[in-house]
Amino acid sequence: DAGVIQSPRHEVTEMGQEVTLRCKPISGHDYLFWYRQTMMRGLELLIYFNNNVPIDDSGMPEDRFSAKMPNASFSTLKIQPSEPRDSAVYFCASSLELPGTEAFFGQGTRLTVV
Amino acid sequence: GQNIDQPTEMTATEGAIVQINCTYQTSGFNGLFWYQQHAGEAPTFLSYNVLDGLEEKGRFSSFLSRSKGYSYLLLKELQMKDSASYLCAVRDRSNNAGNMLTFGGGTRLMVKP
């Protein structure tokens, strides 16, 4: 398996624009997590899905953020409208249901909002 | 919710031993993970503990005490390539429907010659 695949790897956009980040989890994984990482706040959990169903989105900072998982092999995180403070690295991770199995991370999307 | 604390930075010497501590508070503990993250890269899995005690894996060991809400990562025979951030993460049953994985702020370890 190629691992968790995220796209794009880098995104530079202007304030106010819509940004869509994409993630393909490892095939067969039951859980998908979206994280945001900044120097100030570290790795923050934004939302996670279990079998394509959003379980906890309490980490989503504002209504400008939304996430979907239309099927087991694809998820999106959308920011509309984007703001400079959204600049961060966004990681997607997936894991199995089984206890003790770790989450595997994608390479991340480095988002810069200017 | 979860509260996970670990030191922000540590410095150690090549060849030495370093212990990175992590304390946590959670309502539905379901395992603790340690991840390593080199600058500009994704976190990668190091170890997992769900029962009390020590888990050893090569130069790295991880310890857990559930009653104390405490874990540590022990790195032996430090190498320069061990310079990285080390993230403590707790798996927590949430909403009786899933297992959320929450990370601490990470400990940046600098290994000096």
Side-chain angles (χ1 to χ4, degrees):
Chain A
D1 200 312
V4 177
I5 300 172
Q6 291 186 246
S7 64
R9 289 293 308 276
H10 302 274
E11 176 81 34
V12 180
T13 191
E14 291 186 345
M15 182 174 63
Q17 296 298 307
E18 176 180 297
V19 175
T20 300
L21 311 181
R22 297 173 176 80
C23 175
K24 182 180 186 304
I26 293 173
S27 177
H29 279 194
D30 307 285
Y31 286 88
L32 184 140
F33 305 86
W34 280 102
Y35 292 91
R36 175 173 69 175
Q37 188 172 40
T38 62
M39 287 292 292
M40 291 294 294
R41 301 173 69 91
L43 201 59
E44 302 173 277
L45 178 64
L46 300 177
I47 184 171
Y48 79 101
F49 297 82
N50 181 208
N51 294 321
N52 311 340
V53 176
I55 301 300
D56 192 319
D57 65 354
S58 59
M60 297 285 261
E62 299 171 34
D63 291 344
R64 299 184 295 106
F65 286 68
S66 62
K68 294 181 180 179
M69 191 165 186
N71 56 62
S73 59
F74 184 65
S75 177
T76 59
L77 177 68
K78 186 177 293 187
I79 308 172
Q80 166 63 21
S82 58
E83 297 182 3
R85 59 195 169 118
D86 301 331
S87 297
V89 180
Y90 291 80
F91 286 104
C92 175
S94 70
S95 73
L96 289 168
E97 172 78 34
L98 296 173
T101 54
E102 71 272 26
F104 293 84
F105 281 76
Q107 289 303 300
T109 295
R110 181 173 294 277
L111 174 65
T112 304
V113 183
V114 297
Chain B
Q2 297 78 33
N3 191 15
I4 304 172
D5 292 313
Q6 47 183 134
T8 306
E9 284 188 355
M10 298 183 71
T11 302
T13 305
E14 191 176 15
I17 300 173
V18 69
Q19 177 174 313
I20 303 174
N21 296 325
C22 172
T23 58
Y24 65 88
Q25 293 175 312
T26 185
S27 54
F29 179 80
N30 197 22
L32 186 143
F33 297 81
W34 283 95
Y35 279 78
Q36 180 190 58
Q37 185 178 25
H38 285 99
E41 297 182 10
T44 55
F45 170 77
L46 284 179
S47 68
Y48 168 75
N49 296 72
V50 69
L51 300 177
D52 292 351
L54 189 68
E55 294 285 338
E56 297 188 75
K57 189 187 290 187
R59 295 190 297 114
F60 294 1
S61 303
S62 56
F63 171 83
L64 175 67
S65 168
R66 289 171 295 170
S67 62
K68 295 180 179 178
Y70 168 69
S71 172
Y72 67 72
L73 180 69
L74 193 71
L75 292 75
K76 304 175 187 176
E77 302 170 14
L78 280 173
Q79 302 175 8
M80 298 298 291
K81 66 178 182 179
D82 297 330
S83 294
S85 287
Y86 291 86
L87 307 170
C88 174
V90 173
R91 201 165 187 179
D92 185 2
R93 294 184 194 88
S94 66
N95 304 324
N96 295 316
N99 286 274
M100 71 194 309
L101 186 64
T102 306
F103 283 79
T107 299
R108 189 166 63 186
L109 174 67
M110 289 172 281
V111 180
K112 297 185 174 180

